[in-house]
Amino acid sequence: MVGTEQYPEFRLRLPGGGPEACGRLLADKGTNGSQKFVVLAGSPGRGEVVPSFPYRMQSSYRLRQRLIAEGALVPSARWPGRLETTTNIECNSPSAAAEILVGRSSNGWQEWKSADGHPLADYLDQVWWGRSRAWLVRGANVSGLDLVQRLWLPEGLVSLAARHLRKGVEQGISKDRLRTAVDEDYASTATYNQKLQLVEDLHAFLSRMRPGDTVCTIAGGRIYVGAIAGPAEQVDSEDGRSDLRRPVDWHEQGYPYDELPEEVQQRLSAQHDVVDLTVVKDLIDGLGLSDQDLIDEAEATDGAPGVDIPALTARRELELPRPTEQLAADLLVHDTAWLEEMRDLLWDERQLVLYGPPGAGKTYLALRLAEFLGGGPEQVKLVQFHPSYSYEDFFEGFRPQEDPETREVAFRLTAGPLRELADLASREGNWHIPHFLIIDEINRANLAKVFGELYFLLEYRKKSVRLTYSGDDFALPPNLFVIGTMNTADRSIALVDAAMRRRFAFVELSPRTEPTRGLLRRWLEREGKAAEPAHLLDALNTRIDDPDFRIGPSYLMKKGVYREGGLERTWRTKILPLLEEHHYGEGVDVEKRYGLAALRESLG
């Protein structure tokens, strides 16, 4: 332990450019193993507390009230409206020392700073620097015992089981040295994969966690949140269940697991003993606080309204905009209510398939709708399935890549379009922005082969799975929506497997129903053209018995159709060959039944 005299004096500035409190870090440890901190006499404190302080940080609130009652924290003559310490006050941790002065929850390891501006945490023996992180450590079932309720919460700590790990493994150990120790110490008691995971868990606990980091755990259907309050130490424990320990300042209340934000539930579902939750740290830090509570705490920190509040920013809700009449007019959709239904289906199901015969405008509508709901083409990615498409193409796999320096070709793990879009959607600051994956011709691939374990995630968005190649824990972001298109001339919807039917909402785009039925007429009217092509198309489709093979209007919504001889050419080279294929081997005279002459004659 570093001697007290080697620590500088630390300062804590009150909000709004107020006066500075002074204190020192002690070598002695508090009741939970954290280093104590003494607030020096004559230090200022805020005159009031934020409304959430009494129930969010109950122990610090009670300490503050006791100090006021005992006359150790009194109204200040030097700083009107503030308090002032009349004696040195010894606290169990730097965070507790900061909280009694500022009247809100505080990360004392970051807020107490030296004269040259370095946070207190920088003066402790550790190797991991940078911003504070968040961690999940599991303890509800350690060799059959619930250590969370039995040990962690009552005694203010968090622990890892390390029964066979040699003594003297110091904090800050490198992963390479730790791997050697685990390989030797667990040679006959753990499998290869167990040892790999144990190295990751131990390294995070010993070398990456640091005082001030957020830590949480799950027990009894509730999540408990606290802050790491000191270094790791190795002790002898009952049956080796808690040999490695760190002190923690736990909040005195837990939060129902089922009420957590979906992004947090996804991360908590990873099945490891130690999980890095930094990507959702702001959401975790804001648990139990209303928006106004967060604003109050921010103003109590910075002393000014309108400050950027990370926890409040992270709470921005995902929304899909409501379709407008202008969008319906641009897409030539008969009724805005139909677009509203598409929006609601996507909101409820997150996955949607537009199915129908060729030429119904499925891909065009999917793209335009996604661009409107997502706020632009930057949030939309399109892929087209085909019979040889695979999981490795779609999500991730090893592909040959050339090294630009050596010019050697090697197989490297490469992300596919779904992984790329999911990573973009789950990036901090993007959670409230909808992202869309358009899968064109979704029924042309072997879906079970392409989706793999992702089939599970399509239905259970609050869960994560271990990926086949990278081994990462992966969940589909809640702001990722999937729209598939399906040509029923290739494969009837009746042949789609039940797993896909359960995971997607299906919407028909067919010449027999709106908005496709009257689409060509509305387009011709907007373009100022005669209505004959719409009459011909209607007459054609009435002669086609199978609705999956009726002809969509997009074949006749191109400029080339309306040049000299364009309609006849399109009919001969685009439409009749489809019907020839449909009636192959049946002896039907396609020209006589479906040709322009026959249709025009029927129309009089």
Side-chain angles (χ1 to χ4, degrees):
M1 177 63 65
V2 179
T4 307
E5 67 280 357
Q6 295 185 350
Y7 295 121
E9 183 177 274
F10 293 101
R11 302 173 183 180
L12 175 68
R13 183 172 294 280
L14 296 191
E20 287 185 329
C22 297
R24 287 193 175 276
L25 185 65
L26 303 181
D28 296 338
K29 293 185 178 180
T31 55
N32 65 351
S34 171
Q35 282 180 255
K36 292 182 178 181
F37 191 93
V38 61
V39 179
L40 301 182
S43 293
R46 288 183 73 235
E48 66 283 336
V49 300
V50 298
S52 61
F53 188 52
Y55 62 85
R56 182 170 170 83
M57 306 304 298
Q58 296 178 20
S59 60
S60 294
Y61 175 72
R62 290 194 298 265
L63 174 59
R64 177 184 164 101
Q65 295 301 102
R66 179 168 61 82
L67 293 171
I68 292 173
E70 295 174 351
L73 195 57
V74 299
S76 174
R78 283 193 290 172
W79 303 294
R82 302 185 188 275
L83 303 179
E84 186 175 346
T85 58
T86 60
T87 183
N88 291 349
I89 300 172
E90 190 176 284
C91 301
N92 273 333
S93 70
S95 292
E99 286 164 355
I100 64 171
L101 296 179
V102 297
R104 55 166 173 78
S105 60
S106 172
N107 183 348
W109 306 93
Q110 297 294 321
E111 294 193 35
W112 287 105
K113 292 182 171 63
S114 61
D116 54 1
H118 293 291
L120 184 154
D122 287 357
Y123 290 85
L124 303 181
D125 292 332
Q126 57 189 3
V127 296
W128 196 263
W129 310 99
R131 60 167 290 191
S132 296
R133 306 182 73 83
W135 305 91
L136 166 69
V137 184
R138 297 190 183 277
N141 183 8
V142 181
S143 300
L145 291 182
D146 183 352
L147 293 187
V148 176
Q149 304 290 352
R150 179 173 176 173
L151 179 67
W152 294 6
L153 299 180
E155 298 191 18
L157 56 88
V158 67
S159 64
L160 275 187
R163 181 178 183 182
H164 302 288
L165 189 65
R166 64 191 61 179
K167 301 297 180 185
V169 176
E170 72 279 7
Q171 181 175 275
I173 185 173
S174 69
K175 188 179 288 188
D176 185 61
R177 288 179 54 208
L178 192 57
R179 186 179 296 110
T180 300
V182 168
D183 284 341
E184 294 175 357
D185 298 346
Y186 288 82
S188 61
T189 58
T191 65
Y192 173 75
N193 285 331
Q194 287 172 333
K195 285 185 284 188
L196 287 179
Q197 190 58 53
L198 184 58
V199 169
E200 296 297 327
D201 293 345
L202 292 173
H203 185 255
F205 195 87
L206 289 168
S207 301
R208 296 186 64 197
M209 290 183 188
R210 66 172 184 164
D213 281 1
T214 298
V215 63
C216 61
T217 192
I218 305 169
R222 301 178 75 83
I223 179 175
Y224 295 90
V225 181
I228 300 291
E233 63 176 345
Q234 192 173 18
V235 301
D236 291 324
S237 66
E238 179 185 358
D239 295 329
R241 289 188 175 97
S242 57
D243 290 338
L244 295 176
R245 300 184 177 188
R246 278 184 177 270
V248 174
D249 292 328
W250 291 107
H251 297 183
E252 295 190 23
Q253 61 181 12
Y255 309 99
Y257 184 91
D258 292 341
E259 297 177 10
L260 297 176
E262 187 170 344
E263 296 88 348
V264 177
Q265 290 192 35
Q266 286 183 339
R267 301 288 171 171
L268 293 176
S269 67
Q271 296 302 306
H272 306 305
D273 289 337
V274 181
V275 181
D276 189 340
L277 300 177
T278 305
V279 70
V280 291
K281 180 180 185 296
D282 293 332
L283 290 173
I284 294 172
D285 289 343
L287 292 177
L289 297 177
S290 66
D291 290 354
Q292 187 58 50
D293 289 334
L294 292 172
I295 294 172
D296 291 340
E297 287 204 356
E299 292 179 354
T301 301
D302 294 1
V307 295
D308 183 35
I309 307 171
L312 200 56
T313 302
R315 284 184 179 180
R316 286 182 293 181
E317 293 187 1
L318 171 68
E319 293 183 358
L320 291 180
R322 291 288 176 183
T324 62
E325 292 185 4
Q326 182 61 50
L327 177 66
D330 291 344
L331 297 180
L332 296 173
V333 170
H334 65 296
D335 189 356
T336 308
W338 187 87
L339 292 172
E340 285 271 2
E341 184 179 44
M342 297 302 98
R343 181 260 179 205
D344 292 343
L345 283 172
L346 281 167
W347 183 255
D348 294 336
E349 304 294 335
R350 310 245 176 104
Q351 290 97 226
L352 173 70
V353 168
L354 302 176
Y355 71 94
K362 301 179 289 294
T363 304
Y364 175 81
L365 182 62
L367 281 168
R368 290 293 305 275
L369 185 60
E371 289 175 3
F372 173 82
L373 296 176
E378 298 82 4
Q379 281 73 248
V380 180
K381 183 182 285 289
L382 183 142
V383 297
Q384 187 173 57
F385 280 6
H386 50 77
S388 62
Y389 208 70
S390 68
Y391 174 93
E392 291 77 10
D393 299 318
F394 184 49
F395 191 71
E396 68 176 14
F398 288 96
R399 301 177 195 169
Q401 291 187 358
E402 184 181 70
D403 189 301
E405 296 182 0
T406 65
R407 313 293 293 179
E408 294 180 354
V409 176
F411 282 89
R412 294 181 174 86
L413 187 62
T414 306
L418 176 56
R419 182 70 193 261
E420 290 176 344
L421 188 62
D423 290 345
L424 177 63
S426 60
R427 188 178 298 168
E428 285 184 277
N430 282 357
W431 295 337
H432 66 292
I433 302 174
H435 290 69
F436 287 83
L437 178 68
I438 309 298
I439 304 178
D440 200 28
E441 306 285 4
I442 192 172
N443 56 318
R444 297 190 67 208
N446 183 333
L447 296 180
K449 176 183 176 183
V450 171
F451 278 97
E453 66 269 23
L454 304 177
Y455 245 168
F456 172 83
L457 297 180
L458 289 172
E459 186 170 6
Y460 298 96
R461 286 291 189 107
K462 294 182 181 180
K463 300 293 185 181
S464 64
V465 296
R466 177 68 67 87
L467 296 176
T468 303
Y469 288 98
S470 64
D472 295 341
D473 291 294
F474 177 80
L476 283 174
N479 58 332
L480 177 58
F481 299 86
V482 181
I483 303 179
T485 69
M486 179 175 168
N487 188 339
T488 51
D490 293 332
R491 184 184 186 189
S492 170
I493 188 175
L495 301 178
V496 176
D497 64 75
M500 184 179 174
R501 292 287 294 269
R502 190 171 67 248
R503 288 162 171 81
F504 287 80
F506 283 77
V507 176
E508 183 180 21
L509 286 182
S510 168
R512 63 181 178 178
T513 60
E514 290 287 12
T516 307
R517 182 172 56 195
L519 180 60
L520 181 57
R521 265 190 182 78
R522 292 189 288 272
W523 184 83
L524 291 169
E525 182 179 347
R526 187 180 72 180
E527 298 295 316
K529 300 183 184 301
E532 186 201 24
H535 298 319
L536 291 170
L537 186 65
D538 288 345
L540 171 68
N541 283 323
T542 58
R543 299 189 175 198
I544 302 174
D545 297 329
D546 190 340
D548 288 336
F549 283 87
R550 290 176 179 172
I551 304 302
S554 66
Y555 289 103
L556 303 179
M557 295 171 63
K558 300 175 182 179
K559 292 182 179 180
V561 177
Y562 300 93
R563 292 198 295 266
E564 182 68 27
L567 178 61
E568 289 74 11
R569 183 169 54 252
T570 299
W571 212 273
R572 185 179 69 254
T573 61
K574 296 285 188 179
I575 295 176
L576 292 183
L578 288 175
L579 298 171
E580 288 274 8
E581 180 183 357
H582 175 49
H583 289 291
Y584 180 77
E586 296 179 7
V588 175
D589 188 335
V590 171
E591 177 66 36
K592 184 176 181 180
R593 183 170 179 177
Y594 301 118
L596 278 179
L599 295 174
R600 282 173 170 152
E601 183 179 350
S602 70
L603 292 174

